Amino acid sequence: EDFASQLPKDARYRVVEWTITLARGARPIGSPLTVSGGNETANLAQFASQAKPGDRYVIEVKRVARRNYQDQTEPVTGIPNTIFTIPLN
């Protein structure tokens, strides 16, 4: 937060590759969907038809990039394995 307030043009981070998996209990349902190439959205239609109440989306961040004050994109290293879980109702 301090970095972003001090150097806002250097604090433009973006997830550039991630995977989404539909999970039920401890098991994945189907194959994970990998999103990359700067896409900000993913078509989850393949999961929606299989989803049931109590399932969840598991999102794993694979790669992050940063745009610096010179508008050059740099890969960000040293990011720990980051996983988000989104429950479905």
Side-chain angles (χ1 to χ4, degrees), residues 8-84:
K9 287 192 172 186
D10 275 324
R12 298 179 285 171
Y13 291 87
R14 183 176 183 176
V15 175
V16 294
E17 183 178 351
W18 66 94
T19 61
I20 302 172
T21 304
L22 177 65
R24 184 173 301 139
R27 305 169 116 201
I29 306 299
S31 299
L33 172 66
T34 299
V35 181
S36 63
N39 290 330
E40 294 181 1
T41 61
N43 183 354
L44 301 179
Q46 71 183 42
F47 294 143
S49 63
Q50 299 176 43
K52 294 183 179 179
D55 289 353
R56 65 194 182 287
Y57 289 132
V58 179
I59 302 169
E60 182 178 3
V61 175
K62 300 285 191 176
R63 288 188 306 132
V64 176
R66 178 179 76 90
R67 187 170 294 264
N68 64 22
Y69 72 97
Q70 296 173 327
D71 283 335
Q72 297 171 333
T73 302
E74 305 171 345
V76 177
T77 59
I79 302 282
N81 191 10
T82 305
I83 297 176
F84 298 96

